[in-house]
């Protein structure tokens, strides 16, 4: 055994290297009394601060010695994230006048907590007692008068009990009120010593009912927890429901039989919950929703094991989305470290890292770009931010309305130089309420028409949301706008869509996608009612896409966003190569100041003013002048005196 232990010591004493921990958001101080192999269970507050994205769980954790060196470690997660079910040996059945006795042996030396009976019988319900023995003569009752059944889709063939090592197990089934059932075998759950859980508070934040389903949002109090089991508490006397939480599925039930009850209200999750909130879905079918009084949960400890080469104050750093997954040589000794004897240590409360700098979380991309002449641009707004770093600023609808749709005319400018930036379009949308007024058209009495007033011209709308109380209808809706151009007046179709509602369907908002954003501030919504009652629409909203710009500044020097230049060339920034790292960096929220006009300002042809082109007015003036001259020539001259 000396050679493996020597190899273990050599690997653990190797130093991963010194590092700057300004990019880590949180830390915890660990006080180690003496050098040696050390094991610490990571607290939920520390796990909650982890920003690891992809790779191994919690790979942004760093263990730092008193000398400031990052040391190698392993995270000793449980070997199994599911119970290990093994077949029992020596399965024997004995039929007595009023009972069936099943006897079997678990694997030698195993610590077991569960027995699962096996049978092909389709419909039965029986009372059963489970006993354990280590000598075959003295038996201890582990579960008494339990209901064992398979009925109407409900199955309960499982006994659970306190963890212990038993050489023999015996199940006695009551056959006094029903015919015996043939059982073909049994399995036992063999637990490892580390298959341990701790209580984890959980709170129901929100409950919503949809068609045949209950959706519960559960607040676990922390992200990145390795959940064990989740248990429901309900006063319902008899029920059966299928439930899903993360990727775990379970059948929850409670049944009554001859004065006794059986239940299974646990969901065996045994998975990593990467978010603080998780959703529990309970499928009710045609049954009423369950009354749920409370929910309790357990979590598995997450231990970290490392070699402390010196006593003193060690630091655990976590919370860096840019951190690479460490590759330590000791990973190959993970199993030895998991079982090796290790000392514990005391830890302080998790705290914010006082040395944290937001600028340290983003890759270096250069602070100064090429010079830029902003005179061809029409508008600019100053970006207001409280500290340097990676600035994220969301573009308002007013700004989007003046920009090119592909954003090729946008520039971020600092002291006369361009700053590289990324345009981030997460796919989400913002909602704005708009006025909708029904318009009577005597020339089309069978039609319903509405004017939808936008907040301003060229609003970057992508969808129109409509609400109607009408219970039964099927209509084709058309959205259009009227444009005045140099070539005259014409109607521009923005969208067509079919909307229908059948009896029994819940009243819901209709999403009508627009082919393109409107140019004017007024849209016309119309539909042909035929011989049916008029369609009622009570409210309308519009959605516009969320667009954000990300860029980095080294200090508080003012920054402007310039836009409104149709002739601007397309940008080509090297920042695209580190998009993922840039988007994962800790960001400073910026806001836009008031709009300022630049020398290149000119009327945007996408903003019809209603006055027409100035060249059109010049042409009209010339025509009118020519007509007046012709009329003057045609009039008779004054009579000579």
């Amino acid at each position: 055994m000396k050679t493996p232990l020597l190899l273990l010591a050599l690997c653990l004493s190797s130093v991963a290297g010194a590092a700057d921990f300004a990019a880590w958001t949180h830390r915890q101080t660990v006080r180690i009394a003496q050098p040696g192999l050390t094991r610490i269970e990571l607290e939920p507050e520390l796990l909650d601060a982890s920003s690891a994205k992809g790779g191994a769980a919690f790979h942004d954790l760093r263990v730092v010695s008193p000398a400031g060196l990052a040391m190698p470690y392993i995270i000793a997660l449980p070997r199994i994230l599911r119970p290990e079910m093994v077949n029992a040996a020596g399965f024997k059945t004995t039929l007595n006048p009023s009972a069936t006795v099943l006897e079997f042996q678990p694997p030698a030396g195993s610590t077991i907590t569960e027995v699962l009976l096996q049978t092909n019988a389709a419909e039965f319900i029986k009372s059963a007692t489970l006993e354990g023995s280590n000598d075959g003569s003295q038996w201890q009752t582990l579960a008494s008068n339990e209901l064992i059944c398979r009925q109407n889709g409900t199955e309960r063939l499982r006994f659970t009990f306190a963890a212990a090592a038993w050489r023999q197990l015996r199940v006695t089934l009551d056959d006094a009120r029903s015919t015996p059932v043939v059982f073909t075998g049994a399995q036992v759950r063999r637990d490892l010593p580390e298959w341990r859980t701790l209580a984890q508070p959980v709170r129901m934040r929100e409950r919503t009912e949809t068609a045949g389903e209950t959706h519960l949002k559960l607040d676990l109090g922390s992200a990145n927890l390795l959940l064990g089991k989740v248990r429901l508490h309900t006063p319902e006397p008899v029920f059966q429901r299928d439930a899903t939480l993360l990727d775990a599925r379970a059948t929850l039930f409670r049944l009554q039989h001859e004065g006794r009850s059986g239940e299974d209200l646990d969901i065996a999750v045994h998975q990593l919950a990467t978010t603080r909130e998780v959703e529990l879905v309970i499928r009710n079918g045609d049954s009423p929703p369950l009354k749920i009084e409370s929910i309790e949960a357990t979590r598995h400890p997450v231990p970290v094991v490392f070699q402390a080469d010196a006593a003193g104050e060690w630091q655990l750093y976590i919370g860096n989305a840019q951190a690479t997954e460490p590759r330590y040589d000791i990973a190959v000794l993970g199993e030895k470290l998991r079982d090796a004897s290790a000392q514990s240590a005391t830890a302080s409360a998790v705290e914010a890292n006082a040395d944290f700098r937001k600028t340290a979380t983003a890759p270096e991309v250069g602070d100064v770009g090429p010079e830029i002449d902003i005179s061809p641009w029409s508008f600019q707004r100053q970006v207001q931010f409280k500290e340097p770093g990676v600035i994220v600023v969301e573009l308002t609808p007013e700004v989007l309305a003046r920009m090119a749709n592909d954003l090729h005319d946008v520039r971020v400018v600092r002291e006369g130089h361009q700053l590289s930036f990324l345009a981030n379009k997460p796919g989400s949308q913002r909602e704005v309420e708009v006025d909708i007024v029904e318009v009577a058209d005597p020339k089309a009495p069978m039609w319903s028409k509405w004017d939808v007033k936008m907040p301003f011209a060229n609003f970057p709308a992508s969808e129109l949301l409509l609400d109607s109380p009408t219970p039964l209808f099927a209509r084709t809706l058309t959205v259009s706008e009227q444009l005045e151009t140099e070539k005259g007046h014409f109607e521009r179709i923005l969208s067509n869509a079919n909307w229908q509602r059948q009896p029994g369907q819940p009243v819901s908002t209709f999403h009508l996608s627009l082919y393109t954003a409107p140019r004017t501030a007024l849209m016309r919504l119309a539909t042909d009612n035929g011989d049916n009652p008029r369609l009622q629409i009570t409210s309308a909203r519009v959605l516009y896409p969320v667009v954000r710009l990300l860029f980095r500044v080294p200090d508080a020097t003012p920054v402007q966003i310039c836009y409104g230049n149709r002739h601007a060339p397309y940008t080509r920034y090297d920042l695209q190569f580190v998009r993922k790292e840039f988007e994962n960096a800790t960001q400073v929220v910026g806001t836009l100041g008031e709009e300022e006009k630049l020398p290149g300002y000119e009327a945007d042809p996408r903003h019809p003013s209603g006055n027409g082109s100035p060249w059109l007015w010049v042409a009209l003036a010339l025509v009118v002048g020519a007509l007046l001259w012709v009329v003057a020539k045609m009039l008779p001259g004054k009579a000579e005196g």
Side-chain angles (χ1 to χ4, degrees):
M1 293 297 291
K2 290 184 179 180
T3 300
L5 290 177
L6 177 60
L7 178 61
L8 180 63
L10 289 174
C11 288
L12 284 171
S13 62
S14 62
V15 176
D20 176 11
F21 298 101
W24 275 257
T25 60
H26 291 76
R27 71 181 180 186
Q28 184 177 29
T29 300
V30 177
R31 296 176 179 85
I32 296 179
Q34 60 184 11
L37 191 64
T38 305
R39 181 190 305 267
I40 297 175
E41 292 182 358
L42 302 180
E43 297 181 14
E45 293 81 5
L46 197 71
L47 300 177
D48 188 45
S50 175
S51 301
K53 290 179 170 62
F58 326 119
H59 74 250
D60 59 339
L61 176 69
R62 296 295 182 267
V63 178
V64 181
S65 71
L69 301 175
M71 303 297 290
Y73 66 87
I74 69 161
I75 293 181
L77 295 176
R79 286 188 181 92
I80 53 174
L81 293 184
R82 294 289 178 190
E84 183 186 15
M85 302 299 293
V86 295
N87 292 326
F91 188 84
K92 183 178 69 172
T93 300
T94 302
L95 288 177
N96 294 329
S98 60
T100 299
V101 179
L102 312 175
E103 296 181 82
F104 45 93
Q105 294 85 45
S110 297
T111 299
I112 59 174
T113 60
E114 188 175 285
V115 169
L116 176 65
L117 299 180
Q118 296 173 317
T119 177
N120 294 324
E123 293 284 331
F124 67 91
I125 182 168
K126 288 183 176 294
S127 174
T129 299
L130 173 67
E131 300 169 285
S133 174
N134 284 319
D135 57 11
S137 59
Q138 305 216 350
W139 295 85
Q140 179 178 332
T141 301
L142 306 179
S144 178
N145 290 325
E146 295 283 337
L147 285 184
I148 299 299
C149 68
R150 182 178 282 156
Q151 224 178 34
N152 299 324
T154 298
E155 179 177 283
R156 189 169 190 263
L157 303 174
R158 201 177 297 268
F159 298 89
T160 57
F161 45 90
W166 299 102
R167 293 184 177 179
Q168 291 180 279
L169 295 170
R170 182 170 69 188
V171 176
T172 303
L173 298 129
D174 185 1
D175 296 332
R177 296 176 178 82
S178 59
T179 58
V181 174
V182 177
F183 287 85
T184 57
Q187 288 185 321
V188 297
R189 189 180 83 176
R190 181 170 59 188
D191 282 357
L192 296 170
E194 63 188 30
W195 186 250
R196 185 169 62 93
T197 57
L198 303 170
Q200 178 63 33
V202 61
R203 185 162 57 98
M204 289 187 292
R205 288 185 59 87
E206 182 180 328
R207 174 171 180 158
T208 57
E209 303 292 342
T210 61
E213 290 185 343
T214 298
H215 293 254
L216 293 172
K217 283 189 178 180
L218 307 182
D219 184 351
L220 303 177
S222 170
N224 300 311
L225 292 180
L226 189 56
L227 279 181
K229 289 184 178 180
V230 171
R231 182 177 181 83
L232 274 67
H233 291 275
T234 173
E236 303 283 358
V238 178
F239 66 90
Q240 177 181 319
R241 301 287 191 278
D242 290 331
T244 302
L245 179 60
L246 298 178
D247 292 330
R249 292 174 173 79
T251 299
L252 311 177
F253 66 88
R254 179 178 286 151
L255 54 86
Q256 305 282 345
H257 180 69
E258 297 180 349
R260 292 188 297 273
S261 66
E263 65 181 29
D264 189 349
L265 305 177
D266 291 336
I267 304 173
V269 183
H270 305 301
Q271 295 177 43
L272 182 67
T274 58
T275 57
R276 184 187 184 101
E277 283 191 358
V278 294
E279 185 175 63
L280 169 61
V281 180
I282 302 172
R283 282 170 286 280
N284 302 306
D286 296 325
S287 302
L290 290 178
K291 296 178 182 178
I292 299 176
E293 296 175 332
S294 63
I295 294 178
E296 64 180 74
T298 62
R299 63 178 175 88
H300 294 284
V302 178
V304 60
V305 180
F306 60 95
Q307 176 71 16
D309 59 0
E313 290 191 350
W314 288 61
Q315 303 292 331
L316 302 182
Y317 286 92
I318 205 164
N320 181 2
Q322 305 289 21
T324 57
E325 185 175 346
R327 305 289 182 182
Y328 299 136
D329 293 336
I330 64 171
V332 298
L333 300 176
E335 291 304 311
K336 291 184 175 65
L337 291 176
R338 186 191 304 274
D339 298 327
S341 176
Q343 65 181 357
S344 59
T346 58
S348 66
V350 178
E351 60 183 2
N353 179 14
D355 299 325
F356 171 71
R357 300 191 312 273
K358 291 182 179 179
T359 53
T361 65
E364 292 291 342
V365 295
D367 297 326
V368 179
E371 292 186 359
I372 182 173
D373 176 14
I374 62 173
S375 61
W377 270 260
S378 299
F379 307 99
Q380 74 173 9
R381 289 178 185 254
Q382 185 165 325
V383 181
Q384 299 164 345
F385 50 90
K386 293 183 178 180
E387 57 183 307
V390 175
I391 310 299
V392 56
V393 57
E394 184 170 322
L395 302 179
T396 63
E398 292 82 358
V399 174
L400 290 171
R402 297 192 185 275
M403 291 179 173
N405 291 335
D406 57 8
L407 306 183
H408 79 267
D409 60 340
V410 180
R411 298 293 185 272
V412 179
V413 180
R414 178 174 176 265
E415 293 186 324
H417 290 78
Q418 292 189 55
L419 288 183
S420 301
F421 70 89
L422 293 174
N424 180 274
K425 299 179 180 180
S428 55
Q429 300 185 102
R430 304 283 187 216
E431 183 177 305
V432 175
E433 188 169 354
V434 293
D435 293 332
I436 182 168
V437 178
E438 187 167 5
V439 179
D441 186 354
K443 296 181 180 180
M446 308 302 291
W447 283 70
S448 289
K449 297 182 180 182
W450 299 265
D451 280 343
V452 182
K453 187 176 181 181
M454 306 301 291
F456 47 81
N458 209 44
F459 189 88
S462 57
E463 286 187 48
L464 179 62
L465 309 185
L466 303 172
D467 293 311
S468 172
T470 306
L472 174 65
F473 63 88
R475 300 288 190 277
T476 298
L477 300 176
T478 300
V479 184
S480 63
E481 65 177 344
Q482 303 295 321
L483 293 181
E484 291 282 352
T485 69
E486 298 175 2
K487 297 181 180 180
H489 171 87
F490 72 95
E491 183 181 33
R492 181 171 177 250
I493 302 299
L494 301 176
S495 184
N496 283 292
N498 295 321
W499 185 13
Q500 64 179 13
R501 182 177 294 159
Q502 298 180 6
Q505 283 186 334
V507 175
S508 60
T509 298
F510 182 62
H511 288 241
L512 196 159
S513 298
L514 302 178
Y515 306 145
T516 183
R519 295 181 186 174
T520 65
L522 194 66
M523 295 192 299
R524 173 61 61 87
L525 176 67
T527 186
D528 185 356
N529 296 302
D531 297 320
N532 302 294
R534 303 180 69 81
L535 177 65
Q536 299 179 47
I537 295 181
T538 54
S539 64
R541 285 99 64 207
V542 291
L543 299 179
Y544 67 91
V546 172
V547 180
R548 302 186 180 102
L549 301 185
L550 287 87
F551 54 90
R552 177 174 175 167
V553 295
D555 52 44
T557 301
V559 174
Q560 296 81 32
I561 290 180
C562 301
Y563 51 95
N565 179 2
R566 289 175 292 148
H567 305 295
Y570 284 81
T571 56
R572 293 178 298 172
Y573 296 134
D574 295 334
L575 199 59
Q576 295 290 343
F577 296 112
V578 288
R579 172 178 284 273
K580 181 178 179 181
E581 293 82 356
F582 216 70
E583 291 179 340
N584 288 339
T586 303
Q587 298 167 357
V588 178
V589 176
T591 57
L592 295 176
E594 295 296 324
E595 185 175 79
E596 304 172 37
K597 292 180 180 178
L598 292 175
Y601 171 75
E602 59 180 350
D604 190 337
R606 296 177 303 168
H607 290 266
S609 62
N611 297 323
S613 169
W615 294 109
L616 177 61
W617 287 108
V618 171
L620 287 174
L622 291 174
V623 171
V624 171
L627 288 174
L628 290 175
W629 182 81
V630 171
V631 171
K633 286 294 185 180
M634 295 177 62
L635 291 175
K638 290 184 180 180
E640 294 182 1

